[in-house]
Each structure stands twice: as C-alpha cells, then as structure tokens.
Amino acid sequence: MKLAWGLKRPEAIWIRTKAQVKKLLKLCRETEVLAYDTETTGIDISVDHVIFWSISTGDDRYFLEADKLFDFKEIFEDQDKMWIGSQIKFDFHMTANSGINIAGNMMDTLVMDRLLDPDQDHGLKEAYEREFNERMRTFPETFYPKDAKGRFRKPPKKSLQEIMLDAWDRDPERVIDYASLDAWGVYRLYRRLKKLISKIYTDRGYNLWELFLMWEVPMSRVLFEMERNGCQLDMDYLGGIEPVLEQELIDINWDLNKLIGQPINPGSTKQLAKLFYEDMGLEPIAWTSGGSTGKKSPSLNETVMKQHAEDGVEAAQLILKYRELSKVLGTYVVGLMSRVDKGGRIHTTFNQHVADTARLSSRDPNLQNQPRPRKDFDIRKAFIAPPGKKIIVCDYDQLEMFILAHYSGDKGLIGNINAGKDIHTGNVELVWGEPYDDVAAAKKNKDDDSDRAWYLRDLRNKVKVVGFGQPNSGRSKTHSKRGNPTGAIPCCAARRSVSTWRSAA
C-alpha cells in the first residue's frame, strides 16, 4: 500500500503575498466548483473557528492562514459556487464562526459515498484509500507522538489548537502539506464518486447523481441552517430535575448498601466484581477482552447485569436502575446544560450518511435519543420554543407500517388500516388482547398518571419498537457494493425531501 504522495499529487502552494491572493482570487472567480477544508481550534460547531484553510480547483492545492479568509469574502458569498468537502457542513460552521457565512451549495463526499455503498466507512481517508489504493495520512499519524508501543497518542492536556500550532511552529511544511492535501484529495474523490454514481439508475430513470443533486445537496443546506439555529433549552426545568435524580441515586445506593450489608460504590467495576463473584459467589457469564494488558476478568456489562437481574439477583436489579438514572443525569440533564451557548440554545450535528434506515442521525450531542417520559418529569419538555414562537411536530402517519402491510399481506395489519385504526394501538390489541379503546385513551390523555395508563402506553411503545425494528442486526443490504440492484430510489433520497433545489454542473 503506497502513501498519497506520488507524482500525481500537485505541490502545495502557500498563499502569503498580495500578488498570490490576487491570482488565486481570479482563479476562484472563474471556477464554479471548489473543494474546501479547514483546520480549526476544536470541533464544537457553535464556538470553534478556523486556524488554517485550504482550497482546490481540481488539479491544485492552496494553503492559507485564517487572516486571509476575508480576502476571499466575495468568493465565499457567491451563491453560484458549489463547495465540495468531507463533512462540509462542519467547515461551513467553522467559517461562520470566523465571521463569514458561505453561500452556494455544499456537496458532501460522505453522502455521495453513502449512495454508492452504504456498507462502507465514508470518511475522506477511508473512501480515498478504497477508490485509489493510496493512503492519506490521518491527523494522529501526522501530529501525534508515538507511545512506547509505537501507537499514535494524543498529547495529554493539549487541545487540537495547541497541537496544530505547536506543529506550525516546529514544522510549517508538515501542516501545509497535510491541510492542503485534504482539499485536493476530496476534489479527486468527488470526481471519482460522481462518475460512479452517474452510471447507476433507478427504475424511475434517474441516476444517483441526479438524485444527489435533487435531494441531498439542498438537504445539506437545510440541515446546516438547523444546526446553526440550534434549539432553545428550558434551563430552569432541567435544573429542577437535577436534584431529584441526585436524591434518587443516593436512595438506590443506600438500598444497595443495606441489602449487601456494607458500603459500596455502584460505579466501581472492581468493587462490583468482588461483590458478585467473590462475596456472592456468582458464576461469571462473560469475560472482558483483557484490553492492553491481555488479562481477562469477569464482565459486568449491561447484558451480563440484565441476566443476573432476570435470575433474581436483587443487587443486579438495583445496579441496573442506578446505571440508568446515572446516564439520565449525566448525559441528558447535566450533559445538555453544559452544551448550551450564551443564548441558551443547544447545537447538534445531523448526519445524512450514517443511519442504516436512511433517516437522519444526530451527534455531539445526540438529540434523537432522549429518555421517555417518567411520572415525575419528562426531559423532552426541556426543548422549548423561544417567546412568540411555537414548536410544530410533523411526521409521516405510520408510513412504514403501511408499506409493511402492503408487502407482507398481513390480514391483522391490513384490517386495522382499513378500519381507520391507529396501527400501533391496534397491534397492542392483537398481541396482548388489551381493548383498543383503552389503549387509545391512554395514548391520548398523557396527563393520566394511573398505573393502568402507564402500562398501556408502555405496551404501545413496545409494539412500535418491534414494528420499526430491522429483521437483521447487520447493516442494510438494500444496495450492492456497486449500486442498487433493486432499482428502488436510494433510501437517502427517498426518505427526505425539500421544496426547491439548485442544479449544478
């Protein structure tokens, strides 16, 4: 395997002088499609900003420092430009945080590669190596020192900004080469992917490149605006939940100590291992891999703990409850409050290329996986509209279940649909025999805190999980390694839509 520094690679050009800026500006004005990449102070899309940036018109690569951004303001604000990148929304955020809002459309190679083959890693380095049989050096390989075992390790207590600036002081050529290679490499990858997806057609006569332009390109802009705006959080509401959970965790710990007759830290794997496998004499169900030491030990992961709980081990039941509440407190209460900006809004990143179902996924933080309501609080109520605004919820009306009924021919499912019934509520009646009207009433009246209402709502949630679950645990097999043999519209494009789109060369 060869590294990506052969004869095909153009030399990096560091733009420093006014004459160089003027020449590059002229070239960018004449070029419709540009590749763009940034090196930044960090990865928080709401606060971090550009340190260095690079651009490519296809067969070149230019490196610039952040102070040159405003020299190219007219290029960035040209609505007719098309910008290529890997995670291009991130680069747009970093540039916006630096004072310039980029106009024009964004074409993300992550999404293009997802259309071509959903079963691969779509990152720039991975896709480039797969398509060209060449390796591009990763950030750790370029900037991290090696440990005693020859592994690249991030320097302790150093931020990305410090690592990058230290490298710039010691060896600027290394920074210039790495940064500008990303812009050139993503342009090269774009050309290859465009050629490949243009040859794959659906049964409706569209090729995947056309669908990419129609659906995915405008959707990237929509998602960027959503990420930029963020969502308002009710900090007072979350702050009120925090002491409730803290006290509940104290109570569970007290119950655990009382049960086993000694104090124990529920978060200590070492203490729990001693309790379960020495003091209580339980048989290990699974073992750890041993990690870097290679020394295996009895596992106490969630699967193991659930098995002990199902076997009637009361201590395991309390540990599971403690872990669940600890996650709610740490991730969904304290975690959310720690991520808000000065305006009380939280900003996530929406992915077009990750979920096997082709739905959007959310990360940093994940806002699509909030805990379900409890009797005493509902974290989802913390997401609010600012004064004078409203939150509007829009969703397909159980579309997937209609498709399932059509292809499966299931009589019970079809019967519920034809009767105009809520499908999930009807499935509770079919599976558990609970009266349809009782389940429907419990679903409608969320203020009903009776045990019966909570039980029925829980049953409905369970049949939803089954109804929307994938039959296999692996990745989606809708597409083959090169294309879409079913002839169906690719799931990325089929599941998302916007009202307008711009064409591109």
Side-chain angles (χ1 to χ4, degrees), residues 231 233 317 408:
C231 183
L233 277 186
Q317 296 167 2
S408 69

Side-chain angles (χ1 to χ4, degrees), residues 133-317:
N133 196 33
E134 295 177 0
R135 285 196 67 246
M136 295 177 67
R137 285 190 181 275
T138 64
F139 189 92
E141 288 174 329
T142 308
F143 298 110
Y144 291 176
K146 290 183 179 181
D147 63 14
K149 295 185 177 181
R151 294 170 298 190
F152 295 98
R153 296 291 188 185
K154 182 178 181 294
K157 299 180 181 180
K158 279 199 172 186
S159 66
L160 291 177
Q161 179 177 6
E162 290 171 326
I163 292 170
M164 181 64 71
L165 292 179
D166 284 349
W168 179 249
D169 289 338
R170 295 193 312 269
D171 187 3
E173 292 300 325
R174 178 159 49 116
V175 177
I176 292 169
D177 184 68
Y178 173 84
S180 62
L181 188 60
D182 276 356
W184 172 78
V186 80
Y187 206 123
R188 188 182 183 200
L189 180 62
Y190 157 80
R191 284 171 166 167
R192 171 66 65 88
L193 295 177
K194 178 182 177 181
K195 181 178 180 180
L196 292 173
I197 64 177
S198 295
K199 296 178 180 179
I200 302 170
Y201 284 82
T202 72
D203 58 359
R204 299 187 182 184
Y206 293 103
N207 64 47
L208 297 192
W209 169 248
E210 292 170 325
L211 290 177
F212 174 71
L213 294 179
M214 282 193 290
W215 302 105
E216 304 296 353
V217 169
M219 180 54 67
S220 293
R221 171 60 68 175
V222 170
L223 296 179
F224 169 78
E225 297 296 341
M226 290 170 59
E227 295 168 358
R228 199 87 200 133
N229 290 333
C231 183
Q232 194 78 34
L233 277 186
D234 188 337
M235 298 292 284
D236 292 336
Y237 182 78
L238 285 175
I241 295 173
E242 187 175 2
V244 173
L245 288 175
E246 288 175 342
Q247 184 58 51
E248 195 166 346
L249 287 169
I250 291 172
D251 293 342
I252 295 173
N253 197 7
W254 175 263
D255 291 339
L256 181 62
N257 293 343
K258 184 178 179 180
L259 175 68
I260 65 176
Q262 59 179 312
I264 191 171
N265 177 7
S268 170
T269 302
K270 185 177 181 180
Q271 291 183 32
L272 291 180
K274 181 179 183 300
L275 170 66
F276 281 88
Y277 303 120
E278 294 183 25
D279 300 346
M280 298 176 64
L282 298 177
E283 288 293 328
I285 296 174
W287 295 80
T288 65
S289 63
S292 58
T293 64
K295 185 179 180 180
K296 295 184 178 182
S297 59
S299 174
L300 285 167
N301 62 26
E302 186 177 4
T303 302
V304 170
M305 201 62 72
K306 283 183 176 179
Q307 183 61 60
H308 287 315
E310 290 172 3
D311 292 340
V313 180
E314 191 174 351
Q317 296 167 2

Side-chain angles (χ1 to χ4, degrees), residues 33 94-95 184 189 205-206 303 311 352 373-374 385 432 463:
V33 181
M94 296 298 109
T95 309
W184 172 78
L189 180 62
Y206 293 103
T303 302
D311 292 340
Q352 293 170 264
R374 295 187 359 161
W432 282 287
V463 297

Side-chain angles (χ1 to χ4, degrees), residues 19-34:
Q20 287 176 312
V21 168
K22 184 177 180 180
K23 185 176 180 180
L24 182 55
L25 270 172
K26 181 176 183 299
L27 178 61
C28 289
R29 290 190 191 103
E30 297 169 350
T31 307
E32 183 177 2
V33 181
L34 298 165

Side-chain angles (χ1 to χ4, degrees), residues 114-116 118 200-216 356-359 396 403 407 476-480 483-497:
R114 173 65 168 80
L115 287 174
L116 183 66
I200 302 170
Y201 284 82
T202 72
D203 58 359
R204 299 187 182 184
Y206 293 103
N207 64 47
L208 297 192
W209 169 248
E210 292 170 325
L211 290 177
F212 174 71
L213 294 179
M214 282 193 290
W215 302 105
E216 304 296 353
D356 286 336
T357 60
R359 292 180 178 226
Y396 288 115
I403 296 172
Y407 282 103
S476 169
K477 301 302 179 184
T478 303
H479 297 59
S480 69
N484 181 1
T486 65
I489 292 180
C491 46
C492 289
R495 293 299 305 274
R496 305 190 292 268
S497 64

